[in-house]
Amino acid sequence: MTSRLFFGQTVLEAGQSPSQAGLPFFYVATENLSSTWNIHPQAAASGDGYDLLSLISLVPVLVAFLVLLLRAFLAIPYRPRWLRRFANEQVDDPKTLTDGEVTKAGPNLPNALLALAVFGSITQILAIVFELAEPIILQQLLRAMEDGLAPRSKAVTFAILSLVVRLVACQSSVFSLWFSRRSYERSRGEMITMLYEKTLSRRIIGELAISDKSTSNGDHLSDVVPGSDMPLKVSEVRPKKAHGPIRAIGQFLNFKFWPSPANKQPQQPASIGKIYNLMRNDVYEVAQRFWEFPSVVRVLLSLVLSVVLVWKLIGWPCLFGVLTVAVAQSINAIVTRGLLRYERKRRVATDQKLKKTTQYVSAIRHLRWYGWQDVWLEQIMQARQQELRLSIVTGLLRALINFFNYLASDMFPVAAFYAYTILAGKPLRIDIAFPALQLFNMLENSLQAIPQLITVLLNAKIAVDRIEDFMGEPDKDETMERSHFGGRQEIKLQNASFKWPGTSHQVLENLSLEFPVGLTVVCGKVAAGKTALLQALLGELEWQSGQVTLPINSVGYCAQMPWLQSMNIRENILFTSPYEEGRYRNVLEACALTPDLAAFKDGDLTNVGEHGTGLSGGQKARVALARAVYSPAKILFLDDPLSALDHQTAETIVHKCLCGPLMEARTVVLVTHRTTLCKHLAKQVVEVSEGRARVLDPDAVPVMELSKAVSSDSTETVKQDPHGEDEEAEKPGEFMEDEKRAHGGVKAAVYWEYVKAGKLRWWAVFIAIVALHRLIGVGETWFLKAWGEAYDVPQERAASGFFDNLPSPEVNVRPWLLGFSLLAITQAAVWGIWQCFMIIITYTAGRRMFMTVMRRVSHATFRFYDVTPMVSLSPLMSNFGALLDGLATVRAFRAQSSFQDRLIAVTDAFQGMDHFYWSLQAWLMYRFDALSAISTFLLTLLALYTGVSPGLTAFVLIAASNCELRSLKFPGSIAGYGQLQMDFVSVERVVELLHLEQEPPGPVEPPAWWPSSNGDIVFQDVTIRYAPHLEPSLSNISLRIPAGSTTALLGRTGSGKSTLALSLLAIMKPETGRILIDNIDISTVNTQTLRNRITFLPQDPNLFPGTIHTNLDPLSAHPPSHCAAVLARIAPTQPWTLSTPVSPLGANLSLGQRQLIALARAVLRRSSVVILDEATASVDSETAGQVLRVLREELSGSTVLVVAHRVEAVEGAGGWVRLVGGKVEGTGEVVVGMPG
């Protein structure tokens, strides 16, 4: 027999050396090794053989091709605008984050990612080349074992070579993981900061006007929450060209998966839910592709080389197997189109679910005050069900794609062996079957990875489009030319007109104003345009015409709804300014915060909680005011900071703050309804009416208050009584609780909760199917072993053999082929059922856990909302959420760069932990692979020295290889277990919510007439505290409020008035004593019934997205005509109808307008007990007087409690109760002109 060695296209005859054939040094160096091993002794006879060295020689060529491919891919000119921004490339209109500071150009990101991708791909190429060398070595090992004349050392040598190859392959895989993770982490971090930067500069669109036809010139919530259901006008959508590397390739291939951008519907501005979804999901979808790019190279290269090696092993019959793959991919191309369509729908459904959930969590207190939480919860569950339905559809389509690929991979060897044995008539021996099977397994893994890669690439394409849409939204700076920002302290408007972004209706028209140094007071009725004027001066509105000069430096801005961060009081006041002891103390004194801080255990280091939950309304307003005053800004815009304060505190702030030394040489624009406090101090007074403004004669300023106030606390009391400030806001330092953190691994109880949520019967069936699948896989390999061995001793097989009934394959191979086919088809079918049950379990568990968690949160104790940041799920998301809530304030202070730096620090910390985790994974992966290689080597030696047959040896080695390949993916492996632990951290947090303390529902269901119009409200020695470890908020309260009366609750800010009012809703149960309404102890009454029959109107009413009708009557308990009549009585001057749209949180309405809608709710409900907690604080006095007269007429038979700081709010009240430090200081009847 003539021996030949294959080196590329050169064939060495026996006795000829590589040097004699003119081969390179590498081949010369392997001459002795090849000759010693006699690598291909049977190649000449069979025509079969492998070329290990030529396979390795392809590596440089493949690497060079990869570099060119990557460079061409990243150089495609159709690059999205946001990707160019992401890459720090020059764009047409670069934006600056700080005054005059252009963002410094960093390194070219595509080149950096290219380098990382190239290194990762090179190591992947090395790994796959050495992995594909294993079947070659296995073939030679089996031939050495079959050759009875070959020395044992020859087989041992091949075993050692297999060990070395596997060790090199696993080291290459670790290098690939390292480089690809670096690429992933960098791209993820860059995109997170990119989205954050866009949010900082993004124009607030759409939700600022009710409609173009019926909008008022209303004040608007100044710190607007981005996003609403209001559509962006077609004129606002900038035309986009077809771009992006994936779309460019798709167009080149005439691929019709993606619709042309010209056919896209006008985009809506991104809602809160969508922005969160972009950050949590879409960024990861895109960044993950950078991580998996070497995997793309690996899979494609493995697929091609596997087919090539199979060709070299069995020849042309492998084409029949390739045909099965082609058919499967053709079917999958059709299925993928449907998958893409439903995936887009699913993401939209996820956005809607997140938006509704976020809105629900933000409004949970208000919903529970009215007893409306169940209605909203049902809407959330419907949105969740829609998301789950689409998730099932996409999951089934993915499973269908995977099934066809799995079936094709199983039918590949069937078709190939059919052609090899039937058509070619060759025997399927052990040294052919098992190397081919190993190659088929590698090919199977590649084929199974292809649909997943296609799916994730399609998902990434969707994510890219979503990010691109968000990045394409107009920026704030685009609404006004830079030349308009030129003044240092100069503010001028000349015939200037403005509109809210995304609308066509002008909100301010023909304004001609100058704002001199000193105090300018802005007044006007509800929705006249006062807040809109401040927004225009901040550059948040779109300039339409006229001449505008605005300040380029930072502005000290105090929003109408105070925006505070979850930090301590000092950090909120300092914001981005350095700490100066003297100035800081002066600001605290001027803003009347010194008594408050003295009452807190930690003083100004007290944490205020998320959104300032730990402070009363007045305290929040004064901290926000102190932040503006402390800033070095020469211009201050103060949007009604006095509305939440009692008269004495407001008067103190006017004299000490607005007229004090802190305001020298500063331009102050103050919006207020309480003009009597400050009109005599103003340099000018501006009245805004219906979008127009005029400067008033100081003597002609309308009187906004009838007298000083009804609160009896004097300024002297403010100074002397540090304990008068609230206990109702608790002590914030003790108020917030740190999130509970579990240490060590995820507890078994967490896994058990998830198992129970998925239902035990489904898990039992699932485990049985997995076991059956693995059993069939082992049986298929054993069947192939028996088939191969049957050629050697066809007439002498043991009588006890399992396959004795089958004829010899040399006589009739068809039964063997049929059995192998049935096993392959059965295994594919079982695998498809496996995937379906995975979908069932995840659907069941996800649905049940989400439903249970939402219900538990909806009925948790109110203290849970106080101490738990509900929306912020991580420091990264918390930082992002804080920005969304206070965007206008951040931009006014020019604090964008500070927030960007903070995000970068948080992102670095997060990515550092993630990098450390994956470094440990790489460490484990290498050791697992090395141990697997060593164990396989030891098994081989054991087989060699115990005389095990070649067939059984091949079976064991193939089984070990399959076990390794699957264990790398299976959660039971070390790496898989580590990833499972990481994934179940989220489940752990969900499980924690499953065990929330629930509010007792109350055992007593009162009669339908309760409370009657004749029932008094009685407090009997009531003491209330928010938590056992806190001081009482109300102490020994004993009083009687007559039925049908109107009673005023008086006291300075934080004296306990709101706590007493909320106690009537059984939010806090008395520690001692009891509260009776119509002779029934409310602590025993069903809480849902109680809150449905009592109406509470807070100072900052919360409106819900929808219409005015759905906000007045979300339960549809009243006819529309009744609702319209009530609305007309409460707000006769507002251009509203029941169908007028309302944005989330009422963002398209002023605070005064929102209070009017809340008052209309109270009239519509006509409860026997009505509580008004500063319900008209943001309404001008004239409108407030009219509304309160309507309330007295409509609620003449109701018991009304009024918490008020202004005299018109309690005009007509029959009695009063004065609170100081949570105790009743006095009661009496209201007498007109009474002192205090």
Side-chain angles (χ1 to χ4, degrees), residues 24-159:
F25 170 77
F26 175 79
Y27 297 129
V28 176
T30 60
E31 174 184 2
N32 294 330
L33 179 64
S34 303
S35 300
T36 302
W37 288 347
N38 193 19
I39 293 180
H40 301 288
Q42 301 176 16
S46 65
D48 304 326
Y50 283 121
D51 189 354
L52 174 60
L53 300 180
S54 62
L55 181 64
I56 297 176
S57 70
L58 287 175
V59 171
V61 178
L62 293 172
V63 170
F65 174 75
L66 173 67
V67 173
L68 293 175
L69 176 64
L70 283 172
R71 186 62 247 176
F73 181 80
L74 291 176
I76 289 177
Y78 305 102
R79 189 174 299 164
R81 169 190 171 88
W82 69 266
L83 183 56
R84 290 187 283 124
R85 183 184 186 131
F86 166 48
N88 287 328
E89 297 178 12
Q90 186 68 25
V91 293
D92 298 334
D93 51 348
K95 299 299 182 295
T96 57
L97 289 179
T98 56
D99 305 336
E101 178 184 351
V102 181
T103 306
K104 296 180 179 178
N108 190 290
L109 188 63
N111 287 338
L113 294 178
L114 170 65
L116 292 173
V118 167
F119 283 123
S121 300
I122 289 174
T123 52
Q124 280 284 21
I125 290 174
L126 292 175
I128 193 60
V129 167
F130 282 102
E131 286 178 8
L132 288 172
E134 290 183 39
I136 304 175
I137 299 173
L138 176 62
Q139 183 187 36
Q140 302 306 317
L141 175 64
L142 294 176
R143 286 178 175 176
M145 294 180 67
E146 287 181 325
D147 188 358
L149 300 178
R152 184 180 296 170
S153 59
K154 181 179 179 180
V156 172
T157 303
F158 281 114

Side-chain angles (χ1 to χ4, degrees), residues 1104-1139:
F1104 320 117
T1107 64
I1108 289 182
H1109 190 192
T1110 57
N1111 273 274
L1112 291 178
D1113 186 23
L1115 303 183
S1116 300
H1118 305 277
S1121 58
H1122 193 182
C1123 298
V1126 169
L1127 184 65
R1129 289 215 64 189
I1130 293 296
T1133 61
Q1134 300 297 324
W1136 293 340
T1137 65
L1138 292 181
S1139 59

Side-chain angles (χ1 to χ4, degrees), residues 49-51 55 129 132-133 135-136 304-315 439:
Y50 283 121
D51 189 354
L55 181 64
V129 167
L132 288 172
I136 304 175
V304 173
L305 293 182
S306 296
V307 172
V308 170
L309 291 177
V310 171
W311 177 281
K312 292 182 69 67
L313 181 63
I314 65 176
L439 287 172

Side-chain angles (χ1 to χ4, degrees), residues 97-98 101 196 200 565 567 574-577 879 883 890 893-906:
L97 289 179
T98 56
E101 178 184 351
Y196 200 82
L200 286 166
Q565 301 178 81
M567 300 176 174
L574 297 182
F575 204 41
T576 59
S577 303
N879 198 36
L883 174 67
V890 172
F893 279 85
R894 303 293 192 269
Q896 295 99 314
S897 60
S898 176
F899 272 72
Q900 189 83 1
D901 291 342
R902 186 191 306 175
L903 177 94
I904 290 173
V906 172

Side-chain angles (χ1 to χ4, degrees), residues 142 145-146 430 785 789 943 946-956:
L142 294 176
M145 294 180 67
E146 287 181 325
I430 292 295
K785 165 192 171 292
E789 290 180 338
T946 55
V948 175
S949 68
L952 185 57
T953 302
F955 171 80
V956 171

Side-chain angles (χ1 to χ4, degrees), residues 387 413 724 829:
E387 179 194 28

Side-chain angles (χ1 to χ4, degrees), residues 480 484-494 496 498 511-518 520 522 533-539 547-556 633-638 666-670 684 686 695 894:
M480 189 169 296
H484 293 295
F485 293 87
R488 291 292 176 183
Q489 201 168 345
E490 183 182 19
I491 309 175
K492 291 183 180 179
L493 304 176
Q494 185 172 352
F498 301 89
L511 301 183
S512 294
L513 296 171
E514 291 188 26
F515 296 89
V517 175
T520 296
V522 178
L533 175 59
L534 294 188
Q535 293 290 297
L537 299 179
L538 289 172
Q547 297 181 0
V548 178
T549 302
L550 301 180
I552 194 172
N553 293 328
S554 63
V555 173
K634 292 297 183 181
I635 299 174
L636 303 182
F637 293 158
L638 310 179
R666 301 175 92 169
T667 300
V668 182
V669 181
L670 172 67
Q684 72 173 2
V686 176
V695 179
R894 303 293 192 269

